[in-house]
């Protein structure tokens, strides 16, 4: 497959222009405007502190590609904002080259995606798109809003002793940011006055028993221990519900998105813009198309050998300066300047860029920094390590006729899960989703049907983000090391999930059946053929459980990277942050984004990161009051 690669620079609308230059000093500087940094900067300014928010991209808050949540595939592909990271899934290049959507640069302005590249094509790797735009990745994602398991919050309590991270306490931050538009006002588990709109789909389709989707829905209920006759009601269950044993509850849910009831995306972009436009004239300045090259430290503290103190940032100004930007032109640089912070610098560049910025600033594994002649400010071996993500995979098939159905959202536990907690988040519908590559997804025709799966609580979290040079325009080397630890267990759980969903598909009936499964079990194979015949899986070489596991091992994908600047306890040498987001061993510097989570937080980290941001604002403002 070939895809066009644009090289022309495209100007984006900006809410801040050179006509209103940044001042030379602020109380706070926040680097990155995504789910962590964007709301934090707005909250600090609303508290009366002069705050500079720096974003490497532009502002697309008026662009329907981004504002209409239904355009998320187009948004993620849009070169106007896209940053392409080409990642590895393992240390084995042979294994990685089995990934069917491996991407190559052909040298003629196009990408080749596949396993048989043209001669002289340059290997790029596995695409992992991020968004350089005001609002960050919350501007190009599908907007799914779900919560981590309680244990994902409580692990921070266990590591640090800070009870403010308890799941019970963290709920208040959801209530603080949420503007719920799908439940009657008064539900104590939700918020109704926040800045983040949440909405849910209309699942009235499930009342129609004649639909193939409804028949599959009831079969899924049967296979997961739910009442098939109650499925019509269960599909409207609140996925953000509170209560005992929620994480151990297998159930259908209504998919909630951070969008309003009219389908307009709700993201940090909205909150930032509202803060700038507020008649109260909050002291927020936004500086767009500006690449932060490093954090600055007080030279006196460095010379004296005392605790280093962050005092500002160095920036390079201009569009498309970072080499992850497909619009970047080789050799392009911008003017470099320095901006000071009288209180703190807060890095919120995400799981890839936050550790890169720290390392470029002299904070990270000493041996790695020394390799690139970067002066070591603080030896922190955990910076850029502990990279984690959920494993994602899908069942994809073509029906004999289109599958009439709405979206089925199901969280369930497979038999071999190591705890009582559910481990698979699946959503099924007449769509195609097989991962990421330039031009994704592939449209397989009107009869396509997919159950996409997110495997939660991966047992291996051994990936890394490491420098390739001291040049801040370079992309880092990113390796997720999927399935490196206890991988066989995670793969078995994915196969169990696939087998259950495949059985449920056989309830679709006429005119949909038979399904022509494309993966992980092509229809000629034993598992798919046996399921179609209503029999137990046949142990044929072409699609045993082992063959399905191999498929997921080589074709799993992800897009929820976290944990590269993890919070940890005083006794953890790999901890980068304390429980208040402060970078260990230095002063005046914090990291507030998904990289702070010690483990991957549930199935989708966007809303949890916005909750984390609200907590960070509370912690930072409390420290500011103490210092006054």
């Amino acid at each position: 497959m070939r895809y066009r690669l644009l090289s022309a620079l495209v100007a984006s609308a900006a809410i801040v222009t050179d006509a209103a230059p940044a001042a030379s000093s602020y109380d706070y500087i926040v680097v990155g405007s995504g789910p962590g940094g964007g709301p934090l900067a707005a909250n600090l300014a609303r508290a009366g502190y002069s705050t500079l928010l720096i974003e490497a991209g532009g502002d697309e808050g008026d662009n329907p590609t981004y504002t209409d949540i239904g355009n998320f595939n187009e948004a993620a592909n849009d070169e106007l904002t896209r940053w392409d990271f080409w990642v590895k899934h393992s240390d084995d290049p042979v294994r990685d080259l089995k990934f069917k959507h491996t991407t190559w640069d052909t040298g003629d302005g196009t990408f080749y995606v596949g396993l048989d590249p043209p001669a002289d094509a340059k290997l790029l790797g596995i695409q992992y798109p991020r968004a350089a735009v005001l609002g960050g990745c919350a501007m190009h994602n599908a907007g799914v809003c779900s919560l981590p398991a309680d244990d994902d919050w409580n692990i921070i309590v266990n590591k640090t002793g800070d009870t403010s991270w308890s799941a019970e306490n963290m709920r208040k931050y959801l209530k603080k940011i949420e503007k719920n538009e799908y439940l009657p006002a008064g539900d104590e588990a939700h918020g109704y006055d926040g800045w983040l709109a949440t909405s849910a789909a209309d699942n009235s389709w499930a009342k129609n028993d004649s639909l193939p989707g409804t028949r599959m829905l009831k079969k899924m209920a049967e296979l997961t221990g739910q009442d098939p006759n109650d499925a019509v009601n269960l599909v409207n269950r609140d996925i953000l519900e509170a209560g005992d044993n929620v994480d151990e509850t297998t159930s259908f849910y209504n998919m909630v998105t951070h969008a309003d009831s009219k389908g307009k995306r709700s993201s940090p972009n909205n909150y930032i813009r509202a803060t700038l436009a507020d008649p109260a004239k909050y002291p927020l300045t936004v500086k767009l198309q500006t690449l932060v090259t490093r954090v600055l430290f007080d030279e006196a503290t460095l010379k004296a050998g005392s605790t280093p103190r962050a005092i500002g940032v160095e920036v390079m100004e201009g569009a498309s300066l970072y080499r992850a930007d497909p619009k970047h032109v080789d050799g392009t640089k911008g003017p470099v300047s320095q901006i000071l912070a009288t209180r703190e610098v807060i890095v919120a560049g995400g799981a890839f860029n936050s550790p890169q910025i720290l390392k470029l600033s002299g904070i990270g594994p000493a041996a790695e920094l020394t390799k690139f002649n970067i002066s070591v400010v603080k030896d922190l071996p955990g910076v850029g390590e502990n990279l984690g993500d959920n494993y994602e995979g899908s069942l994809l098939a073509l029906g004999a006729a289109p599958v009439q159905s709405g979206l089925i959202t199901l969280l369930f536990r497979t038999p071999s899960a190591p705890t009582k907690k559910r481990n698979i988040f699946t959503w099924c519908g007449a769509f195609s989703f097989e991962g990421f590559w330039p031009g994704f997804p592939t449209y397989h025709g009107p009869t396509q049907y997919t159950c996409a799966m997110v495997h939660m609580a991966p047992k291996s979290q051994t990936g890394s983000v490491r420098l390739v040079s001291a040049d801040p325009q370079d992309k880092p080397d990113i390796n997720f090391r999927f399935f490196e630890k206890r991988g066989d267990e995670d793969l078995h759980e994915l196969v169990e999930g696939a087998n259950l969903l495949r059985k449920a598909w056989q309830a679709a009936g006429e005119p949909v059946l038979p399904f022509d499964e494309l993966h992980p079990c092509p229809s000629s194979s034993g598992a798919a053929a046996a399921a179609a015949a209503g029999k137990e899986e046949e142990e044929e070489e072409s699609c045993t459980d082992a063959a399905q596991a191999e498929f997921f091992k080589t074709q799993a994908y992800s897009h929820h990277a976290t944990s590269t600047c993890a919070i940890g306890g005083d006794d953890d040498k790999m901890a980068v942050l304390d429980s208040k987001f402060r970078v260990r061993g230095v002063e005046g510097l914090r990291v507030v984004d998904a990289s702070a989570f010690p483990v991957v937080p549930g199935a989708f980290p966007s809303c949890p990161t916005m909750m984390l941001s609200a907590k960070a604002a509370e912690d930072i403002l409390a420290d500011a009051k103490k210092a006054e």
Side-chain angles (χ1 to χ4, degrees):
M1 293 178 283
R2 288 180 179 267
Y3 298 91
R4 185 166 56 98
L5 171 62
L6 298 180
S7 59
L9 291 174
V10 181
S12 60
I15 57 173
V16 178
T17 69
D18 291 338
S24 59
S25 179
Y26 297 84
D27 291 328
Y28 295 97
I29 295 175
V30 180
V31 181
S33 67
L40 174 60
N43 284 330
L44 294 176
R46 286 171 178 263
Y49 294 99
S50 64
T51 304
L52 174 65
L53 176 60
I54 302 175
E55 167 57 48
D59 173 27
E60 298 303 325
D62 295 322
N63 185 338
T65 298
Y66 300 89
T67 59
D68 295 349
I69 196 72
N71 293 334
F72 59 89
N73 281 336
E74 291 83 355
N77 274 294
D78 191 0
E79 290 190 354
L80 194 60
T81 66
R82 197 183 77 226
W83 274 3
D84 290 332
F85 291 93
W86 306 105
V87 308
K88 305 182 186 83
H89 281 171
S90 74
D91 289 318
D92 181 358
V94 175
R95 173 180 140 190
D96 276 7
L97 283 174
K98 294 178 181 178
F99 186 70
K100 293 180 180 179
H101 298 114
T102 297
T103 304
W104 312 72
D105 182 353
T106 63
D108 64 1
T110 64
F111 292 120
Y112 171 83
V113 179
L115 302 180
D116 187 23
D120 300 325
K122 177 185 176 182
L123 175 65
L124 294 172
I126 300 166
Q127 189 196 38
Y128 203 112
R130 303 281 82 187
V133 65
L134 190 69
C137 290
M139 288 292 283
H140 80 171
N141 64 10
V144 178
C145 191
S146 66
L147 298 180
D150 285 354
D151 284 351
D152 294 343
W153 296 120
N154 293 334
I155 192 174
I156 302 179
V157 180
N158 297 333
K159 284 177 173 288
T160 67
D162 185 343
T163 57
S164 69
W165 282 96
S166 70
E168 181 180 10
N169 189 61
M170 291 304 297
R171 185 82 194 194
K172 75 180 183 183
Y173 299 109
L174 174 67
K175 296 171 66 174
K176 185 173 184 177
I177 66 175
E178 185 185 22
K179 183 182 179 182
N180 187 290
E181 295 188 5
Y182 65 92
L183 290 173
D187 188 315
E188 293 185 357
H190 288 277
Y192 295 85
D193 301 313
W195 58 267
L196 186 74
T198 58
S199 60
D202 178 3
N203 279 335
S204 58
W205 63 270
K207 297 178 181 178
N208 187 344
D209 287 340
S210 67
L211 294 180
T214 306
R215 294 194 287 269
M216 289 190 289
L217 175 75
K218 291 187 174 184
K219 186 63 175 179
M220 287 183 199
E222 177 189 325
L223 292 171
T224 56
Q226 303 178 76
D227 182 355
N229 294 321
D230 197 33
V232 64
N233 298 313
L234 290 173
V235 292
N236 287 312
R237 187 169 185 165
D238 179 17
I239 202 168
L240 302 179
E241 67 182 353
D244 296 335
N245 302 317
V246 166
D247 302 328
E248 299 176 6
T249 300
T250 286
S251 181
F252 297 113
Y253 291 92
N254 198 329
M255 181 83 84
V256 171
T257 57
H258 51 85
D260 67 21
S261 56
K262 297 179 180 180
K264 296 296 182 181
R265 182 184 297 274
S266 183
S267 80
N269 182 287
N270 305 90
Y271 192 38
I272 295 163
R273 282 174 159 239
T275 302
L276 291 168
D278 197 289
K281 298 188 181 300
Y282 296 118
L284 175 63
T285 302
V286 178
K287 192 170 179 60
L288 299 174
Q289 296 181 334
T290 301
L291 182 70
V292 171
T293 59
R294 64 186 175 111
V295 177
L296 303 172
F297 291 91
D298 183 357
E299 290 292 335
T301 60
L302 297 178
K303 291 178 181 178
S306 54
T307 303
R309 178 168 186 82
I311 59 169
V313 295
E314 181 180 85
V315 301
M316 185 184 296
E317 297 181 56
S320 303
L321 292 174
Y322 195 55
R323 293 190 178 97
D325 191 324
K327 304 183 301 299
H328 176 79
V329 176
D330 287 345
T332 301
K333 294 185 180 295
V336 176
S337 60
Q338 297 183 345
I339 309 172
L340 302 181
T342 58
R343 290 182 177 271
E344 294 186 15
V345 174
I346 300 134
V347 178
F352 298 159
N353 291 101
S354 284
Q356 182 181 20
I357 291 170
L358 290 188
K359 289 179 180 183
L360 292 171
S361 308
I363 300 173
E368 182 180 350
L369 304 184
T370 302
K371 176 182 177 182
F372 297 110
N373 297 315
I374 299 172
S375 298
V376 178
V377 172
K378 178 62 181 178
D379 179 13
L380 278 184
V383 175
E385 302 302 305
N386 195 51
L387 173 65
D389 210 332
N390 297 301
Y391 303 124
E392 298 184 52
S394 61
L395 267 72
L396 173 64
L398 305 180
V403 181
Q404 295 178 289
S405 173
L407 192 69
I408 300 173
T409 302
L410 171 65
L411 276 75
F412 66 102
R413 179 188 180 276
T414 64
S416 67
T419 70
K420 294 181 179 180
K421 291 193 303 182
R422 56 204 183 185
N423 57 329
I424 300 292
F425 186 126
T426 188
W427 63 106
C428 305
F431 62 88
S432 167
F433 184 41
E434 302 167 272
F436 298 89
W437 62 90
F440 85 96
T442 298
Y443 177 62
H444 295 277
T447 67
Q448 65 185 10
Y449 194 80
T450 295
C451 281
M453 295 188 295
V454 171
H455 178 274
M456 296 182 287
K459 300 171 190 62
S460 184
Q461 194 163 316
T462 58
S464 62
V465 177
R466 295 173 182 164
L467 298 179
V468 299
S469 78
D471 184 347
Q473 293 181 275
D474 271 347
K475 296 173 289 185
D477 178 79
I478 301 165
N479 189 334
F480 282 90
R481 296 186 182 85
F482 277 179
F483 305 110
E484 189 162 294
K485 294 183 178 178
R486 299 173 64 187
D488 288 346
E489 297 174 45
D490 285 341
L491 287 166
H492 185 58
E493 292 168 37
L494 281 165
V495 171
E496 287 179 324
N499 287 340
L500 181 147
L501 295 168
R502 184 180 295 108
K503 288 180 181 178
W505 282 7
Q506 307 317 312
E510 296 182 350
V512 169
L513 294 182
F515 273 113
D516 177 12
E517 186 172 330
L518 303 185
H519 61 69
C521 279
S523 289
S524 60
S525 67
K535 301 175 183 178
E536 293 299 318
E537 180 178 327
E538 297 173 359
E539 287 297 315
E540 293 187 8
E541 184 177 353
S542 55
C543 202
T544 61
D545 282 0
Q548 292 188 74
E550 181 64 18
F551 173 86
F552 286 122
K553 186 174 183 178
T554 59
Q555 305 305 319
Y557 50 88
S558 64
H559 60 304
H560 304 142
T562 69
S563 309
T564 50
C565 297
I567 294 171
D570 294 341
D571 58 348
D572 181 359
K573 69 176 184 178
M574 298 300 286
V576 177
L577 310 177
D578 69 9
S579 68
K580 303 300 183 184
F581 305 91
R582 294 175 291 219
V583 177
R584 290 182 172 276
V586 300
E587 295 179 349
L589 181 62
R590 305 192 204 219
V591 176
V592 179
D593 58 30
S595 70
F597 289 109
V599 297
V600 182
F604 296 89
S606 187
C607 282
T609 303
M610 296 182 216
M611 295 163 63
L612 173 148
S613 178
K615 184 183 191 308
E618 189 174 276
D619 291 341
I620 292 168
L621 292 172
D623 283 351
K625 295 301 181 185
K626 290 178 183 177
E628 292 174 355

